[in-house]
Amino acid sequence: MAVDYTVIVLYLAGMLAMGWWGMRRARSKSEFLVAGRRLGPWMYSGTMAAIVLGGASTIGGVGLGYKYGLSGAWMVITIGLGLLALSVFFSARIARLKVYTVSEMLDLRYGGRAGVISGVVMWAYTLMLAVTSTIAYATIFDVLFDLPRTLAIVLGGTIVVAYSTLGGMWSITITDMVQFVVKTIGVLLLLLPIAVVKAGGFAGMRAALPSSYFEPLGIGGETIFTYVLIYTFGMLIGQDIWQRVFTARTDKVAKWGGTVAGTYCLLYAVAGAVIGTAAKVMYPSLPSADAAFATIVKDELPMGVRGLVLAAALAAVMSTSSGALIACATVANNDIWSRLRGLTGTARNPEELDDHDEVKGNRAFILVMGVAVILIAIALNDVVQALTVAYNLLVGGLLVPILGGLLWRRGTVQGALAAVGVGGLAVIGLMWTYGILANEPVYYGLLASLAVYVIVSLATRPTDAAVLAHWRARLAGQDPDPENPAAPVPATTA
């Protein structure tokens, strides 16, 4: 394993070096949080694909293939479909808004009073996403170095927190590009063909496994529908995804670069399912489906290649973890902390803050949130439940007011706030009744949020014409001061 260890250590050292390089580029708030909004199509596509394809898509995707066969690709397929929908229908408009968070978009659309509540929901989602990604280090480092769970979480989490804190989005962008290349080579170009050959080719796989492993809907229609609700719609509204859209140099880059990334996700989904199916042929009695990825890598790949493929798994986890971490810190600082300080009268005038102050403050929040994520990851055991709660809250509470704001002019701030509150509480209450892993909470929570949004919006006064005019100007990229999203906007009338 000496060669494999060398590959992994060099990879981790490279991540830290990229963080140091990014620190020299991140001189302003825009550079630190959204890479100066300067990414071209190649870097944008690579980093977008990197953040959405994390440990769940790699290790979990192979595990679903091991359990269900080719239909195990559906989870990652729905992620790719969500990214395609975001890119084709919404990303150009989102990029032209020139904001930093989803909550800022809601404030622009509804008149400045929807951000705090939505910020708390989005912060909870991004925090749990970062925590679950960090927990995945325990699995990978256990395979690599046989490390105890806590030490593995601290080691992996510390590296991600270090390079994210140093250079912000620039560091994360460069490391994600490296991680995208490593994942492509490790999973698509090496592990996929080797696994198929070792399993006897597709003919050998068909002969060894039941026909259900090759049925496109074998995983179940209800499961696929739930994946669409959680992952496809989750891609449309997550802060971690939107923050990458904000990095695009132009709205065309956001649209077409995201389309390329979404297509790549579909290929990655099929590859993971095929690898898992091949693993089922070679190891029909593994104790856990999620062990399929590590087992096939350890037992079937030659040295050096094994290290590169394990680095690919590590890259998948790190890209999602770092993206969720900077999203969590951005929301905590810009949508919650700064607004609470404004309510207490202790916030500084934005005109008094220079670029150094902005970067210093956001860097501090990444560090604090990173430490919190590591501590929670050490204490938390059930990853699936934590991630399910996060996605249910996100979709049940924020999907309707966000898409409603983009698509329906008649939506009001009162309707948006009611939708967030009712949808979020309904999801929590239904999870308590049906169980955290049940499908009903997100179904009924989403319906409740939609009903309340429409009814309350129609029952209240339409959004002020000046607010809508300002909103349309931002959507069209015509705002005179697009890099100052905190500038006052007209408030809606009571």
Side-chain angles (χ1 to χ4, degrees):
M1 293 287 287
V3 175
D4 300 318
Y5 291 158
T6 302
V7 172
I8 298 297
V9 170
L10 289 175
Y11 170 77
L12 295 176
M15 295 300 98
L16 292 174
M18 295 298 178
W20 184 262
W21 178 88
M23 184 176 66
R24 304 180 65 180
R25 295 288 302 269
R27 302 293 187 183
S28 66
K29 179 180 180 180
S30 177
E31 296 281 352
F32 191 82
L33 293 182
V34 290
R37 308 186 196 275
R38 291 192 289 171
L39 298 192
W42 165 240
M43 291 192 72
Y44 179 86
S45 297
T47 57
M48 182 62 86
I51 188 175
V52 300
L53 296 174
S57 300
T58 303
I59 299 171
V62 171
L64 287 172
Y66 183 88
K67 189 173 182 180
Y68 298 104
L70 299 185
S71 67
W74 272 107
M75 183 186 77
V76 184
I77 286 175
T78 57
I79 291 174
L81 293 176
L83 185 53
L84 285 171
L86 174 70
S87 301
V88 172
F89 299 112
F90 300 110
S91 62
R93 285 185 285 175
I94 293 170
R96 288 194 292 265
L97 289 174
K98 303 293 184 184
V99 295
Y100 292 99
T101 68
V102 174
S103 295
E104 287 179 6
M105 167 264 169
L106 291 173
D107 276 352
L108 280 173
R109 168 60 182 83
Y110 294 112
R113 291 192 289 165
V116 177
I117 295 177
S118 63
V120 171
V121 175
M122 189 64 75
W123 173 78
Y125 157 73
T126 54
L127 179 69
M128 283 297 100
L129 185 61
V131 166
T132 53
S133 300
T134 302
I135 291 173
Y137 296 128
T139 301
I140 297 173
F141 280 107
D142 177 58
V143 174
L144 291 174
F145 306 116
D146 195 25
L147 293 179
R149 179 180 184 275
T150 298
L151 183 58
I153 289 173
V154 170
L155 176 59
T158 298
I159 293 171
V160 170
V161 171
Y163 73 69
S164 301
T165 302
L166 286 172
M169 187 59 82
W170 269 122
S171 293
I172 293 171
T173 295
I174 300 303
T175 54
D176 276 1
M177 277 304 300
V178 174
Q179 290 158 358
F180 170 73
V181 172
V182 170
K183 280 193 290 191
T184 301
I185 295 173
V187 176
L188 296 184
L189 301 184
L190 293 177
L191 183 58
L192 174 61
I194 290 174
V196 172
V197 170
K198 293 278 188 178
F202 286 102
M205 292 161 62
R206 280 189 172 274
L209 295 173
S211 60
S212 61
Y213 268 70
F214 302 93
E215 294 175 0
L217 303 180
I219 197 171
E222 184 178 357
T223 299
I224 296 171
F225 182 67
T226 302
Y227 284 160
V228 170
L229 281 184
I230 293 178
Y231 296 115
T232 301
F233 287 130
M235 288 295 106
L236 297 179
I237 59 176
Q239 169 67 27
D240 52 325
I241 310 301
W242 277 42
Q243 199 155 343
R244 295 310 173 97
V245 176
F246 302 149
T247 66
R249 185 165 60 209
T250 65
D251 54 1
K252 290 183 178 180
V253 168
K255 181 175 182 178
W256 296 112
T259 301
V260 171
T263 304
Y264 178 89
C265 291
L266 301 182
L267 296 175
Y268 200 88
V270 175
V274 171
I275 293 168
T277 304
K280 182 67 175 179
V281 174
M282 292 181 278
Y283 310 98
S285 302
L286 289 177
S288 167
D290 285 340
F293 180 90
T295 302
I296 195 172
V297 169
K298 282 181 65 178
D299 294 350
E300 303 298 336
L301 300 185
M303 66 177 183
V305 174
R306 182 171 50 210
L308 183 60
V309 174
L310 287 171
L314 195 58
V317 176
M318 282 187 161
S319 57
T320 300
S321 180
S322 59
L325 177 59
I326 194 171
C328 177
T330 302
V331 171
N333 187 17
N334 291 269
D335 294 336
I336 300 175
W337 177 245
S338 62
R339 295 169 192 261
L340 292 177
R341 294 184 68 191
L343 291 175
T344 60
T346 58
R348 293 173 62 184
N349 189 318
E351 296 179 358
E352 298 176 1
L353 297 174
D354 58 21
D355 287 338
H356 177 73
D357 292 329
E358 294 276 14
V359 172
K360 183 179 179 181
N362 283 291
R363 184 173 281 139
F365 264 86
I366 290 179
L367 180 59
V368 171
M369 290 295 105
V371 172
V373 164
I374 292 172
L375 293 176
I376 295 172
I378 292 172
L380 195 63
N381 287 319
D382 199 322
V383 180
V384 175
Q385 290 195 2
L387 195 59
T388 301
V389 171
Y391 269 104
N392 282 354
L393 279 174
L394 176 70
V395 174
L398 291 181
L399 179 67
V400 169
I402 291 173
L403 293 189
L406 288 168
L407 300 174
W408 191 39
R409 180 177 178 178
R410 187 60 180 81
T412 67
V413 65
Q414 293 88 350
L417 290 172
V420 174
V422 170
L425 291 175
V427 164
I428 293 172
L430 290 167
M431 283 191 292
W432 182 271
T433 303
Y434 288 98
I436 290 177
L437 300 180
N439 294 327
E440 287 84 358
V442 71
Y443 295 168
Y444 300 141
L446 194 55
L447 288 174
S449 179
L450 177 60
V452 169
Y453 179 73
V454 172
I455 293 171
V456 174
S457 292
L458 292 176
T460 53
R461 185 174 298 180
T463 304
D464 189 89
V467 172
L468 288 177
H470 182 71
W471 166 252
R472 287 193 294 270
R474 290 293 283 270
L475 280 178
Q478 298 171 352
D479 190 277
D481 189 17
E483 276 303 322
N484 185 19
V489 296
T492 55
T493 54

